[in-house]
Every structure is written in C-alpha cells, then in structure tokens.
Amino acid sequence: MLIDLTLCVGCNVCQGACKEENQLPPSEEKYLSLTAYTALSKYNDLYIRRMCQHCDVPTCVSVCPVAALSKSEAGPVAYDGEKCIGCRYCLQACPYHVPKYEWSSTKPRIQKCKFCAPRLAKGLPPACAEACPTGATIFGERDELLLEAARRISAEPTKYVPRIYGKDDVGGTSMLYLSPVPFEQLGFDARLGKIPMPMLTMSALSKVPNVLSVGGVMLGGIWWITNRRSEVAAFEASEKKGETPEHEDKP
Amino acid sequence: MKIRLLPRITRWHPIATTLILAGTLAAIARFTYGLGATTNLSDEFPWGLWIGFDFLGIGLAASGFTIVAAVHLFHAKEYEPIVRPAILTAFIGYMLVVLVLILDLGRPDHFWHPLVMWNPHSVMCEISWCLMLYTSVLSLEFAPIVLERFNILWPIKWIHAISLPLMIFGVLLSTLHQSSFGSLYLIVPNRLHALWYTPLLPVLFFISCLASGISMILLESLIFSRGGRDLLPTRLRANLAKVIAVILALYFVVRVENLLARGAWHELTTVTYFSLAFYAELLIGFVIPFGLLVVERVRNSRRGLYAATLLVVVGFALNRMNTAITGLESYPAQTYFPSLIEIFIMLGITALGFSAFSFIVKHLPIFEPVAVTPRVRQEAVTARPEPVFLTRHGGDLESS
Ligand code: SF4
Ligand code: SF4
Ligand code: SF4
C-alpha cells in the first residue's frame, strides 16, 4: 500500500473500516492496540498512519522460535496463535513496535494488522485502502506503487521530500510512505538502516555450524593431546620413581 | 562428615519455606490471572526480571561446563574435587532457568513447540534447543552420582562409554547458548542503549560467562570448605584466580576497545542513569576484581579470593541485568520495575534451588574435601571399572 501523507486529512475512516472488517470495538483510538490495528498519530498538522509495515524481510518472522509468524508471497505477515508460545520476542524485536500482546488473557495471543489477507485472497483491496475517501492510502502491486510514488515526487518536487519510506528501509516494506517533511520528524526511527534487521542476527547464527564442527575437533584434539601428555608425564614419573607428574595448570 | 551449607544464615529453613510458599502462591496467581495482571511487563517492555534471572542463572551455571572442560578435556585432573559441586550447581541452575522460562511464556502449555516447529533464523529457537540438549547432557553427567548412591552400576558404564563425546557436546552447547543470550539483543540496535549494544554481544557474553563460571567454582570451593577442609588447595585456587584475572582483562580490553571504535564512549562523558550503571558494572565486575586478583597475596588468601570472586559474580549480575533491563529503558523512554509477584516468583525459585542443593548435598556424595591423605571412595566397588565421573585419581591431592 502507498500512503501519501499530503493527502491524509485525518478522518480516521481507515481505522473505522479496519475495525469493522476485523470485528473490533468501534471506538476511536489514537495508538496501536489490541483493538486498533491501525491508528493515526498527529505531528503538527500532518497525520501519519501507523500499522504493521509487512516488511519484506520481517524481523518478527525471523525471531519467532516456532515460526508462528510467516511472510507470504502476496505480502501479508500472518500470525498463527496455535503455534505461538508467547515468548514475546516479536514485541521486543519489531522495529516499529507493532505486535501487541493480550496481556490480560490466560491464553494470550499477538494482535496486529493482518493486511486483510482473507480479502486479498478474494482479490479485494484491504478494507482500509478501500475506505480511504481521499486516496491517501492506495493499494496495488508494490512495483507499481513504487513507480507511482516516484512519479508523484518528480511531478511535485517541492511538495515531497525526495524519499519513499519503505522502499528499502529495513530491507523494504509493503507499506510505502510519501511525506512533505523528513520522516525523522514523524516519529520514524532514524536509527533503522536499510539493512534488514534479521541480518544482524544471521551473522552470529551462521557461525553455529562452525562452532560445532571446528570446536568439536579442537576440543577432541585438546583432549587427545593433553591426555597423551599426562600419560607421558605419568610414564616419566614412574621411570624416575616417586616424583609426582606435572600437569598443565591451564583449566 | 557433615558440611554445613551457608552456615551464616541461621533459620534458613523457615526462610526458604516461606519464600517457596510465597513463590508458589505468586505462581498460582500468575496462572490464574495471566501475565498482565501479575507482572509489570507491557507491550513496550515485554521482557523483564525473569529474563534477567535466566541470564544470571545460565551465566553462573557456566561453572559446570568450564570445570568439565578443564578437568576432563584439558586433563587438569587436580581440579577433580570441584567437578561434582560444579555439575550440581549447573544442573540445578539450568532446572531453575527452565522453570522460570516456562512461567515466563505466555503459553506455558506450548513450551514444547520449539522442538517440533523450527525456525532456524531465530536465536530463541537455537537457545531452546541448546538449553534442552545441555540440560540432558547435565542430567547424564549428574546421573552417575545418583546411580552410584543407589548402587545401580550398569548404566554408569554405558554413560562412561559415551562420556567423551558427551562432554565435548556439552561444552560446545554451552559455548553456543552462552553467547546466544547475547545474540538475542543483536536484533534491537534501536532499542538497546549504545553502551550495551554491540555486534560483539555474543562474544562479550561468552567471555564474561567464563569469568563468572570460574568465579563460581572458586566461591563454591571456598564456601564449602568451612570446617577446616578444603576442596581445592591454595595453589590451585590461586591458579584459577590468575585465569579469572586474564579473562577479566580480555573482557575489559574487548569491551572498551569496542566502545571506542563505535564512538559509544561519548555516552560516558556525562553522568546519566545509564553511564552510572555502566561504570558500576565495569568497576565492580571487572576493574576492581582484576586489581585484586593480580596481587599474589590476594590470590593466596581465602578472604581476598572470596571478595574478588564475589565481586566478579555481582558485576556479572549487574551486566546481565543492565543488558536485559537498564539498557532497554532508554527506548522508548520506558521504565520498568518488576511487580511483587515477579519478585516473589523469582525469590521462591531461588530458594527452591538452594534447598534442592542442600538436600542433594546431604544425601549424595557431592563433596570430597581434600583430606590429609587421599581417601579411597567408600561407595565405589573397586572390582568394577571406574567410570570417568567417579574417578578420583588426581594423584597430587595435597592439603593446604
Ligand atoms: S512491522 Fe513489525 S510486525 Fe510488521 S512485519 Fe515488520 S517486523 Fe513484523
Ligand atoms: S510471542 Fe509468539 S509470535 Fe511472537 S515471537 Fe514469540 S512465539 Fe513467535
Ligand atoms: S490492512 Fe486490513 S487489518 Fe491492516 S489496517 Fe488495513 S483494514 Fe486493518
């Protein structure tokens, strides 16, 4: 989806449509919550729509130990409450603070925007995009939306900052934003780079097989060598008779 | 002989019983009312005290794998007397951590899911596997002590046969998950304060767990040697102390060098909550004990060693708590303080651990203090081949 902040008038129709689609209580909410998968936050006179970014390389998917979260080809990052063990690593790791947890439940689950996966499967646009009266949120193929966004920027270079947020932030996201002011002023975390967050972990995780194989051989080798040494020492000691064998002091 | 556990705490039993009872009640509350009502965790602060406790428990239980590596893989046989206490500590430590983890999970009934639903990209998945496998390894390393007590000797032979690969596997698993606890935070560079976040987190976690693990070994050898008997002679203790000093120095250099390289040292030039926490951790856990341990007189004195290793352990605890809690409070300006129920559950589980330890020590042959003459084990049947976990052929057991 492409979200053009210059077109958003803050009518909150997207939240209403989302709540209806997902059978959530209809009250208006200012922040993402268990009952608000999308929310508008206001910066001066700009409204910015928060929701799950449906990252191309989602952090939440990469951290989940049981693969309860998954990214589908069509774009949505889906959640399976039957698998979830409730470790809350996804809450900790999501760079956009999106997943919300049912803290008050004894069988808690994660809640977040579902990208209206059932609607997409039927060939319909997400409820929020369909409802948006000004076209601030439009739905389409990511490639086409990127072209459209670039076209808007080049057509009116004074209106927009020359940046499509989400094009390659944290490795690219399904949600793309256009803004008249720098994104850092809109509460977007400037510290998130272009490298997908899961890469940060991969560099460590990819060493696991090495540690196992190289470490195994090394430890085995050390055992063998030191064993041999103490045998030799014991032998020499018995040769000299009476002297205690000298061991390595290395623990 | 009788070894009095923690002799300075009088009325230990009522205290422990109270704590365990309170912990049990707190746990019941946690299961009845859910996490939200009983903890101070929130969407912005999804991990708290319990995760910190896990870090701590695992780090201190590192004594288990370090000593096994030293004695059985590096053949530093003279440290043999401390192997069993260390394995017991590790075993109990891991059991407690697994218990806390299960309590911490939103869906404890799904705790077995990581075993069947894999995600190779998840550090958490790797940790679950390592924890489970290593706890099994520890059980096998511990089993002979129990079996020996009940004179069931045939499985011991079997365990003995696989003991070498088992020990190597255990040491590798420890290396992996000790560092992986650091890797957990690699993915939150935007949340974790720059003083703690570094791509080297796994390396630093591993180095510091070695220091704390060996410190725990020393502490145990000192605590349990009350009454005139020593588990380790002075010379061996001093050697271990030297090793700790080297590891502390290594940690310090890597950590500081990394701070300088990443420019995070700027954070240290002002006095903030975070810089104070950082200084406290580094001074208490690394600088001061290093300063103490390089002095030969300290290494050779019981009290000096006691103080230094205790500092290492406390500093280690600060480091882990800072990583798990303080460092995350910087973003998004969240504060977190554990709820009473969180605290009671943690205390209760800790008390459970100590009680289990003293119970097991009372009933199983864990301690073989260095006597004037090396004793022949009463329990071992001399005619049978002695399994590696039972051997006491240190040779140069000396009294101090
Ligand atoms: S925004 Fe967060 S929850 Fe949504 S896909 Fe990205 S990492 Fe996952
Ligand atoms: S809380 Fe559930 S969905 Fe989130 S990472 Fe843990 S298991 Fe996966
Ligand atoms: S995509 Fe669907 S679930 Fe997500 S915010 Fe829009 S309407 Fe709600």
Side-chain angles (χ1 to χ4, degrees):
Chain A
M1 286 199 280
L2 174 63
I3 299 169
D4 187 334
L5 301 186
T6 61
L7 298 177
C8 181
V9 292
C11 64
N12 210 32
V13 166
C14 48
Q15 191 181 60
C18 171
K19 290 195 164 209
E20 198 180 317
E21 171 69 23
N22 293 294
Q23 285 142 27
L24 299 168
S27 59
E28 189 177 323
E29 291 183 63
K30 293 265 174 270
Y31 303 98
L32 292 188
S33 74
L34 287 175
T35 51
Y37 300 162
T38 178
L40 296 172
S41 39
K42 195 168 185 224
Y43 285 86
N44 299 321
D45 33 78
L46 280 176
Y47 292 91
I48 141 123
R49 241 192 102 188
R50 306 242 175 251
M51 58 192 294
C52 172
Q53 302 293 308
H54 296 279
C55 312
D56 287 351
V57 192
T59 316
C60 58
V61 170
S62 93
V63 299
C64 178
V66 291
L69 291 153
S70 57
K71 172 90 178 166
S72 68
E73 275 301 310
V77 171
Y79 167 70
D80 181 353
E82 282 308 302
K83 286 186 171 177
C84 175
I85 56 171
C87 67
R88 313 186 291 280
Y89 198 2
C90 52
L91 279 83
Q92 182 76 273
C94 168
Y96 298 99
H97 304 246
V98 168
K100 301 293 171 215
Y101 202 55
E102 295 176 340
W103 291 101
S104 53
S105 162
T106 46
K107 287 210 183 309
R109 286 170 307 165
I110 299 297
Q111 293 293 352
K112 70 171 195 68
C113 157
K114 302 169 166 58
F115 210 161
C116 286
R119 284 176 65 99
L120 296 197
K122 281 188 252 162
L124 296 167
C128 52
E130 191 179 66
C132 181
T134 63
T137 300
I138 55 171
F139 172 74
E141 282 297 319
R142 190 168 186 270
D143 304 344
E144 289 164 22
L145 291 177
L146 277 173
L147 285 177
E148 168 65 16
R151 197 191 56 73
R152 288 190 195 177
I153 292 178
S154 59
E156 288 172 279
T158 48
K159 193 169 155 192
Y160 298 102
V161 289
R163 177 177 180 194
I164 308 171
Y165 191 92
K167 181 166 175 273
D168 39 26
D169 298 84
V170 295
T173 62
S174 292
M175 300 303 141
L176 304 168
Y177 290 84
L178 285 177
S179 158
V181 299
F183 285 92
E184 286 68 36
Q185 292 174 20
L186 299 169
F188 282 90
D189 196 328
R191 285 175 292 182
L192 304 173
K194 307 218 176 297
I195 304 159
M197 314 295 261
M199 291 301 164
L200 299 171
T201 325
M202 275 320 284
S203 61
L205 271 184
S206 60
K207 300 205 174 71
V208 168
N210 292 354
V211 171
L212 281 179
S213 53
V214 177
V217 173
M218 256 176 56
L219 287 176
I222 289 173
W223 174 82
W224 189 55
I225 293 168
T226 51
N227 194 29
R228 175 100 191 101
R229 236 188 243 169
S230 48
E231 271 169 24
V232 172
F235 177 73
E236 280 172 359
S238 68
E239 290 273 277
K240 288 184 204 158
K241 286 221 170 80
E243 276 176 41
T244 40
E246 212 19 76
H247 294 299
E248 269 200 329
D249 285 336
K250 206 166 61 169
Chain B
M1 89 243 96
K2 249 192 176 161
I3 293 150
R4 282 201 297 148
L5 180 72
L6 298 175
R8 266 177 301 186
I9 301 180
T10 45
R11 282 194 281 269
W12 161 248
H13 276 291
I15 296 177
T17 318
T18 322
L19 286 179
I20 293 175
L21 269 181
T24 315
L25 289 180
I28 293 173
R30 177 252 170 273
F31 283 116
T32 334
Y33 301 108
L35 288 169
T38 49
T39 68
N40 284 346
L41 299 171
S42 65
D43 284 334
E44 295 298 352
F45 222 99
W47 291 352
L49 181 69
W50 292 339
I51 289 278
F53 176 87
D54 295 338
F55 283 9
L56 224 74
I58 295 294
L60 298 182
S63 56
F65 90 91
T66 40
I67 197 69
V68 164
V71 173
H72 293 305
L73 297 181
F74 297 1
H75 288 97
K77 290 276 182 244
E78 57 275 33
Y79 294 97
E80 181 93 49
I82 200 72
V83 168
R84 284 184 172 198
I87 289 185
L88 178 62
T89 323
F91 184 62
I92 291 180
Y94 275 81
M95 286 299 175
L96 299 187
V97 166
V98 169
L99 203 63
V100 171
L101 272 179
I102 290 179
L103 275 164
D104 199 355
L105 286 185
R107 293 294 300 269
D109 49 326
H110 286 175
F111 77 94
W112 50 273
H113 280 185
L115 303 186
V116 286
M117 307 167 187
W118 298 18
N119 176 10
H121 298 285
S122 170
V123 181
M124 188 75 92
C125 187
E126 188 225 314
I127 291 185
S128 318
W129 268 91
C130 280
L131 273 186
M132 186 199 58
L133 290 175
Y134 187 58
T135 312
S136 319
V137 169
L138 274 175
S139 316
L140 283 178
E141 289 179 351
F142 183 62
I145 310 178
V146 184
L147 294 171
E148 177 192 342
R149 168 75 174 74
F150 295 102
N151 240 334
I152 315 171
L153 292 176
W154 62 268
I156 302 185
K157 251 192 256 172
W158 181 78
I159 294 175
H160 174 47
I162 59 160
S163 70
L164 179 65
L166 194 69
M167 287 180 304
I168 293 183
F169 191 49
V171 172
L172 291 175
L173 285 173
S174 300
T175 313
L176 283 180
H177 69 265
Q178 292 285 358
S179 47
S180 290
F181 272 107
S183 312
L184 272 183
Y185 290 93
L186 284 181
I187 209 155
V188 289
N190 54 327
R191 289 199 188 209
L192 188 58
H193 196 278
L195 286 175
W196 288 279
Y197 183 86
T198 149
L200 286 186
L201 265 174
V203 179
L204 289 174
F205 262 53
F206 182 68
I207 302 180
S208 52
C209 94
L210 290 180
S212 75
I214 302 178
S215 295
M216 279 301 282
I217 295 175
L218 273 181
L219 271 181
E220 281 169 35
S221 78
L222 289 170
I223 291 176
F224 300 124
S225 61
R226 299 247 166 79
R229 292 163 192 271
D230 272 338
L231 277 182
L232 288 179
T234 315
R235 183 179 65 84
L236 298 185
R237 282 203 306 259
N239 280 342
L240 281 185
K242 262 189 206 165
V243 176
I244 298 178
V246 172
I247 298 174
L248 291 180
L250 180 69
Y251 181 93
F252 185 82
V253 170
V254 174
R255 180 106 189 250
V256 171
E257 199 268 337
N258 187 259
L259 273 183
L260 294 177
R262 285 180 309 114
W265 59 273
H266 285 295
E267 307 276 352
L268 290 175
T269 49
T270 49
V271 178
T272 60
Y273 177 44
F274 301 105
S275 63
L276 286 181
F278 178 88
Y279 281 124
E281 158 193 330
L282 212 62
L283 284 179
I284 296 177
F286 300 92
V287 179
I288 300 177
F290 176 78
L292 287 173
L293 289 175
V294 286
V295 182
E296 192 179 349
R297 213 150 40 93
V298 175
R299 289 200 301 271
N300 286 332
S301 102
R302 312 180 46 130
R303 202 176 299 167
L305 262 191
Y306 195 89
T309 47
L310 201 61
L311 280 175
V312 174
V313 169
V314 171
F316 173 85
L318 284 175
N319 170 260
R320 293 307 195 255
M321 286 295 178
N322 278 341
T323 314
I325 298 177
T326 320
L328 289 169
E329 284 181 315
S330 64
Y331 189 79
Q334 272 284 328
T335 52
Y336 158 87
F337 195 81
S339 74
L340 276 183
I341 292 194
E342 279 173 85
I343 295 175
F344 275 131
I345 289 189
M346 198 193 78
L347 289 180
I349 286 183
T350 314
L352 189 69
F354 277 107
S355 307
F357 194 97
S358 66
F359 178 82
I360 294 177
V361 171
K362 232 178 255 159
H363 293 96
L364 291 177
I366 301 294
F367 289 112
E368 291 282 285
V370 178
V372 181
T373 49
R375 297 187 318 134
V376 181
R377 296 187 60 75
Q378 303 298 308
E379 299 89 334
V381 184
T382 36
R384 303 188 195 216
E386 270 197 90
V388 66
F389 292 107
L390 303 181
T391 49
R392 284 289 184 275
H393 51 73
D396 58 350
L397 298 177
E398 50 179 81
S399 64
S400 60

